[in-house]
Amino acid sequence: MINKKIECCTENRVHENIVNKIKEKMPDEEVLADLADLFRVFGDTTRVKIIFALFSNEMCVCDIAELLGMTQSAISHQLRVLKNARLVKFRKEGKTVFYSLDDEHISGILERGLEHINEEYKR
């Protein structure tokens, strides 16, 4: 991250029309807490790698563990976190369990984040 100085107002004056307009649109505290929890799940590199891996193909735990060079137990733990956050879903085929992204929103979130990060590297 680039360390930049934050500029502050030199005059302490509240623009009430702007503040009130935003207050009307601000989601409820519970919704904002759920949103913060969602982004907290993205705060782990292993989980981000798993989500990235599931962009284009569903995968079983064995495949994900091999791809990331981790144990199946560690991957299962992270998949449980992702499943509880409704970021991944699974289906069974015989004795094999395949994981995939829960919906197209998940890839969109990660793609937007990557776009933002890549902008920083282009500067």
Side-chain angles (χ1 to χ4, degrees), residues 79-109:
L79 284 167
R80 191 171 23 261
V81 172
L82 292 168
K83 188 169 87 54
N84 288 341
R86 297 183 1 237
L87 296 176
V88 299
K89 60 185 177 186
F90 68 92
R91 71 173 182 84
K92 291 184 177 183
E93 190 176 294
K95 293 182 179 183
T96 306
V97 179
F98 290 95
Y99 286 86
S100 61
L101 297 181
D102 191 66
D103 61 34
E104 69 280 350
H105 297 113
I106 311 316
S107 58
I109 293 168

Short mmCIF file of all heavy atoms in Angstrom, two decimals, residues 79-109:
data_model
loop_
_atom_site.label_atom_id
_atom_site.label_comp_id
_atom_site.label_asym_id
_atom_site.label_seq_id
_atom_site.Cartn_x
_atom_site.Cartn_y
_atom_site.Cartn_z
N LEU A 79 -13.19 -24.28 3.59
CA LEU A 79 -14.44 -24.45 2.84
C LEU A 79 -15.65 -24.33 3.75
O LEU A 79 -16.69 -23.80 3.37
CB LEU A 79 -14.45 -25.79 2.10
CG LEU A 79 -13.58 -25.85 0.85
CD1 LEU A 79 -13.42 -27.29 0.38
CD2 LEU A 79 -14.16 -24.98 -0.27
N ARG A 80 -15.52 -24.80 4.98
CA ARG A 80 -16.61 -24.68 5.95
C ARG A 80 -16.90 -23.21 6.24
O ARG A 80 -18.06 -22.78 6.28
CB ARG A 80 -16.25 -25.44 7.24
CG ARG A 80 -17.38 -25.60 8.21
CD ARG A 80 -17.07 -26.56 9.38
NE ARG A 80 -15.68 -26.76 9.73
CZ ARG A 80 -14.95 -27.82 9.34
NH1 ARG A 80 -15.46 -28.75 8.57
NH2 ARG A 80 -13.68 -27.92 9.72
N VAL A 81 -15.84 -22.43 6.41
CA VAL A 81 -16.00 -20.98 6.63
C VAL A 81 -16.68 -20.34 5.42
O VAL A 81 -17.63 -19.55 5.56
CB VAL A 81 -14.63 -20.30 6.91
CG1 VAL A 81 -14.78 -18.79 6.95
CG2 VAL A 81 -14.03 -20.82 8.21
N LEU A 82 -16.23 -20.69 4.22
CA LEU A 82 -16.81 -20.14 2.99
C LEU A 82 -18.26 -20.57 2.81
O LEU A 82 -19.09 -19.78 2.36
CB LEU A 82 -15.96 -20.56 1.78
CG LEU A 82 -14.57 -19.95 1.71
CD1 LEU A 82 -13.72 -20.64 0.65
CD2 LEU A 82 -14.64 -18.45 1.45
N LYS A 83 -18.56 -21.81 3.17
CA LYS A 83 -19.94 -22.31 3.06
C LYS A 83 -20.85 -21.59 4.05
O LYS A 83 -21.96 -21.18 3.71
CB LYS A 83 -19.98 -23.82 3.30
CG LYS A 83 -21.34 -24.46 3.03
CD LYS A 83 -21.26 -25.96 3.03
CE LYS A 83 -21.40 -26.63 4.33
NZ LYS A 83 -22.49 -26.43 5.19
N ASN A 84 -20.38 -21.39 5.27
CA ASN A 84 -21.17 -20.68 6.28
C ASN A 84 -21.45 -19.23 5.88
O ASN A 84 -22.47 -18.65 6.26
CB ASN A 84 -20.48 -20.73 7.65
CG ASN A 84 -20.53 -22.11 8.27
OD1 ASN A 84 -21.35 -22.95 7.89
ND2 ASN A 84 -19.64 -22.38 9.20
N ALA A 85 -20.53 -18.65 5.10
CA ALA A 85 -20.71 -17.27 4.61
C ALA A 85 -21.50 -17.24 3.30
O ALA A 85 -21.67 -16.19 2.71
CB ALA A 85 -19.34 -16.61 4.42
N ARG A 86 -21.95 -18.39 2.87
CA ARG A 86 -22.72 -18.56 1.62
C ARG A 86 -21.94 -18.12 0.39
O ARG A 86 -22.49 -17.59 -0.57
CB ARG A 86 -24.06 -17.83 1.71
CG ARG A 86 -24.96 -18.37 2.79
CD ARG A 86 -26.33 -17.72 2.86
NE ARG A 86 -26.60 -16.70 1.89
CZ ARG A 86 -26.97 -15.45 2.18
NH1 ARG A 86 -27.08 -15.08 3.42
NH2 ARG A 86 -27.21 -14.58 1.22
N LEU A 87 -20.63 -18.36 0.42
CA LEU A 87 -19.78 -18.02 -0.72
C LEU A 87 -19.55 -19.23 -1.63
O LEU A 87 -19.28 -19.07 -2.81
CB LEU A 87 -18.45 -17.45 -0.26
CG LEU A 87 -18.55 -16.12 0.50
CD1 LEU A 87 -17.18 -15.69 1.00
CD2 LEU A 87 -19.17 -15.04 -0.36
N VAL A 88 -19.62 -20.44 -1.05
CA VAL A 88 -19.50 -21.65 -1.85
C VAL A 88 -20.66 -22.58 -1.53
O VAL A 88 -21.29 -22.49 -0.47
CB VAL A 88 -18.16 -22.40 -1.61
CG1 VAL A 88 -16.97 -21.54 -2.00
CG2 VAL A 88 -18.03 -22.90 -0.20
N LYS A 89 -20.92 -23.47 -2.47
CA LYS A 89 -21.93 -24.51 -2.28
C LYS A 89 -21.29 -25.82 -2.71
O LYS A 89 -20.18 -25.83 -3.27
CB LYS A 89 -23.17 -24.21 -3.11
CG LYS A 89 -22.93 -24.13 -4.60
CD LYS A 89 -24.17 -23.72 -5.35
CE LYS A 89 -23.83 -23.57 -6.85
NZ LYS A 89 -24.95 -23.05 -7.60
N PHE A 90 -21.95 -26.93 -2.46
CA PHE A 90 -21.38 -28.22 -2.83
C PHE A 90 -22.46 -29.13 -3.40
O PHE A 90 -23.64 -28.91 -3.20
CB PHE A 90 -20.69 -28.87 -1.64
CG PHE A 90 -21.64 -29.31 -0.55
CD1 PHE A 90 -22.16 -30.59 -0.55
CD2 PHE A 90 -22.01 -28.44 0.46
CE1 PHE A 90 -23.04 -31.00 0.46
CE2 PHE A 90 -22.88 -28.82 1.46
CZ PHE A 90 -23.38 -30.12 1.46
N ARG A 91 -21.98 -30.13 -4.12
CA ARG A 91 -22.84 -31.20 -4.60
C ARG A 91 -22.07 -32.50 -4.48
O ARG A 91 -20.85 -32.53 -4.58
CB ARG A 91 -23.30 -30.96 -6.03
CG ARG A 91 -22.23 -31.12 -7.07
CD ARG A 91 -22.75 -31.03 -8.51
NE ARG A 91 -21.66 -31.24 -9.43
CZ ARG A 91 -21.22 -32.44 -9.82
NH1 ARG A 91 -21.80 -33.54 -9.38
NH2 ARG A 91 -20.20 -32.55 -10.66
N LYS A 92 -22.81 -33.58 -4.23
CA LYS A 92 -22.18 -34.89 -4.09
C LYS A 92 -22.39 -35.69 -5.37
O LYS A 92 -23.46 -35.66 -5.97
CB LYS A 92 -22.77 -35.65 -2.91
CG LYS A 92 -22.41 -35.06 -1.57
CD LYS A 92 -22.94 -35.90 -0.44
CE LYS A 92 -22.51 -35.31 0.88
NZ LYS A 92 -22.94 -36.14 2.01
N GLU A 93 -21.32 -36.37 -5.76
CA GLU A 93 -21.37 -37.30 -6.88
C GLU A 93 -20.72 -38.58 -6.40
O GLU A 93 -19.50 -38.70 -6.36
CB GLU A 93 -20.62 -36.72 -8.08
CG GLU A 93 -20.82 -37.50 -9.36
CD GLU A 93 -20.15 -36.83 -10.53
OE1 GLU A 93 -20.59 -35.72 -10.92
OE2 GLU A 93 -19.17 -37.40 -11.05
N GLY A 94 -21.55 -39.54 -5.99
CA GLY A 94 -21.03 -40.74 -5.36
C GLY A 94 -20.38 -40.38 -4.04
O GLY A 94 -21.00 -39.75 -3.18
N LYS A 95 -19.11 -40.73 -3.90
CA LYS A 95 -18.37 -40.43 -2.67
C LYS A 95 -17.59 -39.12 -2.76
O LYS A 95 -16.91 -38.73 -1.82
CB LYS A 95 -17.42 -41.57 -2.34
CG LYS A 95 -18.13 -42.86 -1.98
CD LYS A 95 -17.14 -43.93 -1.62
CE LYS A 95 -17.88 -45.20 -1.24
NZ LYS A 95 -16.96 -46.26 -0.80
N THR A 96 -17.69 -38.46 -3.90
CA THR A 96 -16.93 -37.22 -4.11
C THR A 96 -17.84 -36.01 -3.90
O THR A 96 -18.99 -36.00 -4.36
CB THR A 96 -16.34 -37.18 -5.53
OG1 THR A 96 -15.57 -38.37 -5.74
CG2 THR A 96 -15.45 -35.97 -5.73
N VAL A 97 -17.30 -35.00 -3.22
CA VAL A 97 -18.03 -33.76 -2.99
C VAL A 97 -17.34 -32.66 -3.79
O VAL A 97 -16.15 -32.42 -3.62
CB VAL A 97 -18.04 -33.38 -1.48
CG1 VAL A 97 -18.78 -32.07 -1.26
CG2 VAL A 97 -18.67 -34.50 -0.66
N PHE A 98 -18.10 -32.03 -4.67
CA PHE A 98 -17.58 -30.96 -5.50
C PHE A 98 -18.05 -29.61 -4.98
O PHE A 98 -19.23 -29.44 -4.67
CB PHE A 98 -18.03 -31.12 -6.96
CG PHE A 98 -17.39 -32.27 -7.66
CD1 PHE A 98 -18.02 -33.50 -7.74
CD2 PHE A 98 -16.13 -32.13 -8.24
CE1 PHE A 98 -17.43 -34.56 -8.39
CE2 PHE A 98 -15.53 -33.18 -8.88
CZ PHE A 98 -16.18 -34.42 -8.96
N TYR A 99 -17.14 -28.66 -4.89
CA TYR A 99 -17.45 -27.30 -4.44
C TYR A 99 -17.44 -26.35 -5.63
O TYR A 99 -16.66 -26.51 -6.56
CB TYR A 99 -16.45 -26.83 -3.38
CG TYR A 99 -16.69 -27.50 -2.05
CD1 TYR A 99 -16.13 -28.73 -1.77
CD2 TYR A 99 -17.49 -26.89 -1.09
CE1 TYR A 99 -16.37 -29.36 -0.56
CE2 TYR A 99 -17.74 -27.52 0.12
CZ TYR A 99 -17.17 -28.75 0.38
OH TYR A 99 -17.42 -29.36 1.58
N SER A 100 -18.30 -25.35 -5.56
CA SER A 100 -18.35 -24.29 -6.57
C SER A 100 -18.77 -23.00 -5.88
O SER A 100 -19.21 -23.01 -4.73
CB SER A 100 -19.33 -24.66 -7.68
OG SER A 100 -20.64 -24.81 -7.16
N LEU A 101 -18.63 -21.90 -6.60
CA LEU A 101 -19.07 -20.61 -6.05
C LEU A 101 -20.58 -20.63 -5.91
O LEU A 101 -21.28 -21.20 -6.75
CB LEU A 101 -18.63 -19.46 -6.95
CG LEU A 101 -17.12 -19.27 -7.09
CD1 LEU A 101 -16.82 -18.08 -8.00
CD2 LEU A 101 -16.45 -19.10 -5.75
N ASP A 102 -21.08 -20.00 -4.87
CA ASP A 102 -22.52 -20.02 -4.59
C ASP A 102 -23.32 -19.33 -5.69
O ASP A 102 -24.39 -19.78 -6.05
CB ASP A 102 -22.81 -19.38 -3.24
CG ASP A 102 -24.24 -19.63 -2.80
OD1 ASP A 102 -24.58 -20.79 -2.54
OD2 ASP A 102 -25.01 -18.65 -2.74
N ASP A 103 -22.81 -18.20 -6.20
CA ASP A 103 -23.48 -17.51 -7.31
C ASP A 103 -22.49 -16.57 -7.99
O ASP A 103 -21.35 -16.44 -7.57
CB ASP A 103 -24.75 -16.77 -6.86
CG ASP A 103 -24.50 -15.70 -5.83
OD1 ASP A 103 -23.43 -15.05 -5.87
OD2 ASP A 103 -25.37 -15.48 -4.97
N GLU A 104 -22.95 -15.91 -9.04
CA GLU A 104 -22.06 -15.05 -9.83
C GLU A 104 -21.61 -13.80 -9.08
O GLU A 104 -20.61 -13.18 -9.45
CB GLU A 104 -22.72 -14.66 -11.16
CG GLU A 104 -23.90 -13.72 -11.03
CD GLU A 104 -25.22 -14.36 -10.63
OE1 GLU A 104 -25.32 -15.60 -10.62
OE2 GLU A 104 -26.15 -13.61 -10.31
N HIS A 105 -22.29 -13.44 -8.01
CA HIS A 105 -21.87 -12.26 -7.24
C HIS A 105 -20.49 -12.45 -6.63
O HIS A 105 -19.73 -11.49 -6.51
CB HIS A 105 -22.86 -11.96 -6.11
CG HIS A 105 -24.22 -11.61 -6.59
ND1 HIS A 105 -25.31 -12.42 -6.36
CD2 HIS A 105 -24.67 -10.55 -7.28
CE1 HIS A 105 -26.37 -11.85 -6.91
NE2 HIS A 105 -26.01 -10.72 -7.47
N ILE A 106 -20.18 -13.68 -6.26
CA ILE A 106 -18.92 -13.95 -5.58
C ILE A 106 -17.74 -13.64 -6.50
O ILE A 106 -16.80 -12.95 -6.11
CB ILE A 106 -18.83 -15.43 -5.12
CG1 ILE A 106 -20.09 -15.87 -4.37
CG2 ILE A 106 -17.58 -15.66 -4.29
CD1 ILE A 106 -20.65 -14.94 -3.36
N SER A 107 -17.81 -14.12 -7.73
CA SER A 107 -16.71 -13.83 -8.66
C SER A 107 -16.65 -12.34 -8.96
O SER A 107 -15.57 -11.77 -9.10
CB SER A 107 -16.85 -14.64 -9.95
OG SER A 107 -18.08 -14.38 -10.59
N GLY A 108 -17.80 -11.68 -9.00
CA GLY A 108 -17.84 -10.23 -9.24
C GLY A 108 -17.14 -9.46 -8.14
O GLY A 108 -16.41 -8.49 -8.42
N ILE A 109 -17.34 -9.87 -6.91
CA ILE A 109 -16.69 -9.20 -5.78
C ILE A 109 -15.17 -9.31 -5.91
O ILE A 109 -14.45 -8.31 -5.79
CB ILE A 109 -17.15 -9.79 -4.43
CG1 ILE A 109 -18.63 -9.48 -4.19
CG2 ILE A 109 -16.29 -9.30 -3.27
CD1 ILE A 109 -19.25 -10.27 -3.04
#
